[in-house]
Amino acid sequence: MNATLGFRPLYAQVKDLLVQRLASGVWKPGEALPSEFSLAAELKVSQGTVRKALDELAAQNLVVRQQGKGTFVARHTPQRALFHFFHLVGDDGARALPSHRVLALRNARATKAQAERLKLAAGTPVIALKRIRLLGGRPAIFERIVLPGSLFPGLVERVVDKLPNEVYRFYEEKYGVTVARAVERLKAVAATPEEAKALGLRAGAPLLEIDRTAYGLDGRPVELRLSRCDTARHHYLSEIT
Amino acid sequence: MNATLGFRPLYAQVKDLLVQRLASGVWKPGEALPSEFSLAAELKVSQGTVRKALDELAAQNLVVRQQGKGTFVARHTPQRALFHFFHLVGDDGARALPSHRVLALRNARATKAQAERLKLAAGTPVIALKRIRLLGGRPAIFERIVLPGSLFPGLVERVVDKLPNEVYRFYEEKYGVTVARAVERLKAVAATPEEAKALGLRAGAPLLEIDRTAYGLDGRPVELRLSRCDTARHHYLSEIT
DNA sequence: CCGTTTATATCTTATATAAGACATAAGATT
DNA sequence: AATCTTATGTCTTATATAAGATATAAACGG
């Protein structure tokens, strides 16, 4: 009967609505959502339908569920950063978040390529960060980050040079920008003289380049990140299931 | 009441049983499983419980479900190989499975490191394959594969040198070995003279090394694979959700 | 009387079951 | 041969019960 192309099952509609609310900040990271029953009552569907929607959100790591306590908006905890968004692991299997040293943080304007990837007009204000990340005290990653200026107003002036190490948590707490998903493109490249010097390598040494585009809850790109990694003592871990 | 530590919910027990049957080859790749109702009747649980187990198996890509048709054991189709187990993508976004040229295929004995990763005793018979893979007609990957001899009896003698390109489908169809999961460790390395020559590069050129361990349905390692990739025109795609 | 412990009520999500809707394919009917 | 019917799958939704978490109040010991 429903020949409408736009038809979606009830639970999917509920899920869409919840994602929309998450994206618009109705519930903030760490907060509890209303219970299954109250959501069901509000949306005039059964509790089981709400549950199926919530289960899918939990599978996508947008919410965290805990029996007896409630359903909570997922936060960028160190744990999550480590296991979900940071794939560089020591060759002995040890995982640790790197510390960092900021080289530059300034306002700039999007290049054509950057604008295209961030879905902005060329020349739009952006924020550019250049930093070195250290693993086990050793410089291991040379990293360049580009953010849309509109999403992070006054960031450069605000942080001066005390930018925290875990920037995703910073985005979330200070600007309400939640990184929900990312795509990484990996290549092997030769270190430039600048990178080689910063990482204590010879120019031309092989580096692992990770070119990441991160997306927010609403699906729009919120960060570009180019990481050039010394993989002498570490590797990028990818699990295929 | 169930203070037994080993307690698992009913649907999880059903799932375990089904995985066990899949691993033991009760249902072969491509075949249909019994319907939800008949499984429920056999196992003395409700259809919904069977469904939850099957849904999780589908989420793990072990089975494929199709409304109105049935539930089928997942197969290593070219599509699956391409989107699931082959992460090298053209810089323009084009995906294509490489062709290959076999350099060597022979019986050998496991080194200590290989034996450890394959959970074998050192010196156990293994099969070693060396090949070049071509993307868009160009040599792009230099690859070494090691297999436990016990799982692939007579492979070297059998295939002579007509080994098919998609080896996972070959493992599955000829030896009943299904690759269900894999772990990849990526590094940037410098090309050895042998690799450089084979790939048409200068020695020392940066290559992306993919060190894969593949696991079967029963969770035991079934393949080691070291791929050294020229990423001048391609990249490794990793999606973080 | 005060502080600690122990029930208990009530909230939450997790699990199990069932019924109707929808999709597909094959056989019967025209 | 084309259409309709029916059998048999999974999908969707709903409901009931179990189990975990927590706050409150009663019971208890000092």
Side-chain angles (χ1 to χ4, degrees):
Chain A
M1 192 55 63
N2 58 70
T4 59
L5 265 320
F7 169 77
R8 302 199 70 193
L10 202 48
Y11 76 89
Q13 298 179 35
V14 171
K15 182 181 160 192
D16 290 346
L17 177 70
L18 294 179
V19 168
Q20 195 181 318
R21 289 195 183 173
L22 287 171
S24 67
V26 172
W27 306 301
K28 305 221 176 317
E31 287 182 5
L33 273 63
S35 75
E36 294 181 350
F37 275 108
S38 56
L39 282 172
E42 177 201 342
L43 304 178
K44 309 255 196 288
V45 299
S46 93
Q47 175 225 11
T49 303
V50 172
R51 186 201 338 268
K52 180 137 183 170
L54 288 175
D55 280 346
E56 294 207 349
L57 293 181
Q60 292 174 41
N61 298 301
L62 297 186
V63 301
V64 174
R65 317 196 69 190
Q66 215 170 332
Q67 182 174 158
K69 291 194 70 176
T71 301
F72 303 86
V73 184
R75 270 199 305 189
H76 275 282
T77 62
Q79 300 307 322
R80 186 167 181 215
L82 193 51
F83 286 91
H84 220 73
F85 285 99
F86 188 74
H87 285 184
L88 221 50
V89 177
D91 285 343
D92 55 359
R95 299 183 99 125
L97 276 180
S99 56
H100 79 333
R101 193 180 302 154
V102 174
L103 300 181
L105 174 62
R106 62 187 182 84
N107 292 300
R109 300 202 166 263
T111 67
K112 213 172 112 184
Q114 289 167 353
E116 193 167 335
R117 288 176 57 191
L118 287 173
K119 297 199 195 303
L120 303 172
T124 305
V126 295
I127 294 154
L129 167 66
K130 186 155 70 171
R131 63 174 178 172
I132 293 174
R133 308 185 79 181
L134 300 88
L135 282 164
R138 279 200 187 79
I141 308 174
F142 189 92
E143 193 164 82
R144 272 175 267 247
I145 294 180
V146 176
L147 307 170
S150 59
L151 289 179
F152 301 92
L155 187 146
V156 175
E157 297 73 20
R158 179 174 189 167
V159 303
V160 191
D161 60 353
K162 296 181 305 178
L163 188 75
N165 182 22
E166 292 173 44
V167 291
Y168 284 5
R169 186 150 60 147
F170 173 74
Y171 299 165
E172 184 171 278
E173 291 177 355
K174 302 301 180 189
Y175 291 96
V177 173
T178 297
V179 173
R181 196 173 70 81
V183 173
E184 296 191 328
R185 294 178 181 78
L186 282 70
K187 278 177 178 273
V189 298
T192 65
E194 180 189 14
E195 292 163 350
K197 189 177 173 193
L199 298 178
L201 304 170
R202 69 191 182 288
L207 294 182
L208 179 65
E209 174 185 284
I210 308 174
D211 189 4
R212 172 189 292 184
T213 307
Y215 298 87
L217 280 168
D218 55 2
R220 299 169 59 85
V222 298
E223 182 203 59
L224 300 182
R225 172 184 294 218
L226 192 73
S227 307
R228 297 229 180 184
C229 314
D230 175 11
T231 53
R233 278 176 255 269
H234 298 81
H235 60 265
Y236 181 100
L237 185 64
S238 174
E239 313 211 24
I240 305 176
T241 56
Chain B
M1 191 55 65
N2 57 68
T4 59
L5 266 319
F7 169 78
R8 302 200 69 193
L10 203 47
Y11 75 88
Q13 297 179 37
V14 171
K15 183 182 160 191
D16 290 345
L17 176 69
L18 294 178
V19 168
Q20 196 181 318
R21 288 195 184 173
L22 286 170
S24 67
V26 172
W27 308 300
K28 305 222 177 311
E31 288 182 5
L33 273 63
S35 76
E36 295 180 349
F37 278 106
S38 57
L39 283 172
E42 179 201 342
L43 304 178
K44 308 256 197 285
V45 299
S46 90
Q47 173 234 8
T49 302
V50 172
R51 161 189 305 291
K52 179 137 185 169
L54 288 174
D55 280 346
E56 294 208 349
L57 293 181
Q60 291 174 42
N61 298 301
L62 296 184
V63 302
V64 174
R65 317 195 68 187
Q66 215 168 332
Q67 182 174 166
K69 292 193 71 174
T71 301
F72 304 86
V73 184
R75 270 199 306 190
H76 275 282
T77 63
Q79 299 308 322
R80 188 170 180 212
L82 193 51
F83 286 92
H84 220 74
F85 284 100
F86 188 73
H87 285 186
L88 223 51
V89 178
D91 284 342
D92 57 359
R95 298 183 100 125
L97 276 180
S99 57
H100 79 332
R101 193 179 301 152
V102 173
L103 300 182
L105 174 61
R106 61 187 184 82
N107 292 301
R109 299 202 168 263
T111 66
K112 212 171 112 185
Q114 289 167 354
E116 192 167 335
R117 289 176 56 191
L118 288 173
K119 296 198 195 304
L120 303 172
T124 306
V126 295
I127 294 154
L129 166 66
K130 186 156 68 173
R131 64 174 177 173
I132 293 175
R133 309 186 79 180
L134 300 89
L135 282 164
R138 280 199 188 80
I141 307 173
F142 188 92
E143 193 165 82
R144 272 175 265 247
I145 293 179
V146 176
L147 306 170
S150 58
L151 290 179
F152 301 92
L155 187 147
V156 174
E157 298 72 21
R158 179 173 188 168
V159 303
V160 191
D161 60 353
K162 296 180 305 178
L163 188 74
N165 182 24
E166 291 173 45
V167 290
Y168 283 6
R169 187 148 62 149
F170 173 75
Y171 298 165
E172 183 172 278
E173 290 176 356
K174 303 301 179 189
Y175 291 95
V177 173
T178 296
V179 173
R181 194 172 71 82
V183 173
E184 297 190 327
R185 294 179 180 79
L186 282 70
K187 279 177 178 272
V189 298
T192 66
E194 180 188 16
E195 292 163 350
K197 189 176 174 191
L199 298 177
L201 303 170
R202 67 190 184 289
L207 294 181
L208 178 66
E209 174 184 285
I210 308 175
D211 189 5
R212 173 188 289 182
T213 308
Y215 298 88
L217 279 168
D218 55 2
R220 297 168 61 85
V222 297
E223 182 203 60
L224 300 182
R225 172 183 295 219
L226 192 73
S227 306
R228 296 234 180 178
C229 315
D230 176 11
T231 54
R233 279 175 252 270
H234 298 80
H235 60 264
Y236 182 99
L237 186 63
S238 174
E239 312 212 23
I240 305 175
T241 55

